[in-house]
Amino acid sequence: MSEPGVQGDGVTSDQTPTLSGIGLAGATVTVAYATAFGPQTATSTVAANGTWRVHVPSLSVRAYLFTASLPSNVILVYSQPLAMTSTHTTQARPAATPTRVPT
């Protein structure tokens, strides 16, 4: 499972990140995580090319631990947990520079 933004830094400013991974085409992937409201899940179907994407609804500023699970024959296969902190910071935009128009 991979995170949005800089891979491996464990930080995102995206309040609604999309997690992705690989699996058996047609399988249902379930991503589990917890919020202040308790355990949550988000699901998706693995595409024909073996990739999946799960859109996670709005996250508050805090640390999260995501785990994906996929069925494999008669058992569930779990991913390594993905630790990610939601920061909600955005990159500052440069200030606009006024342009004087000749008259």
Side-chain angles (χ1 to χ4, degrees):
M1 179 168 41
S2 61
E3 64 184 276
V6 178
Q7 294 297 304
D9 72 349
V11 177
T12 184
S13 60
D14 187 347
Q15 293 179 8
T16 57
T18 299
L19 305 178
S20 59
I22 59 172
L24 183 62
T28 299
V29 62
T30 301
V31 174
Y33 61 102
T35 68
F37 302 107
Q40 306 292 317
T41 60
T43 61
S44 182
T45 301
V46 180
N49 67 0
T51 62
W52 58 264
R53 293 181 177 276
V54 170
H55 177 76
V56 178
S58 187
L59 298 176
S60 58
V61 176
R62 64 177 286 221
Y64 292 89
L65 192 62
F66 298 90
T67 304
S69 62
L70 290 143
S72 175
N73 296 324
V74 295
I75 62 169
L76 281 177
V77 177
Y78 293 90
S79 70
Q80 291 290 327
L82 172 66
M84 188 168 50
T85 300
S86 178
T87 62
H88 290 204
T89 58
T90 55
Q91 189 174 15
R93 289 192 234 169
T97 305
T99 304
R100 185 170 221 197
V101 179
T103 56

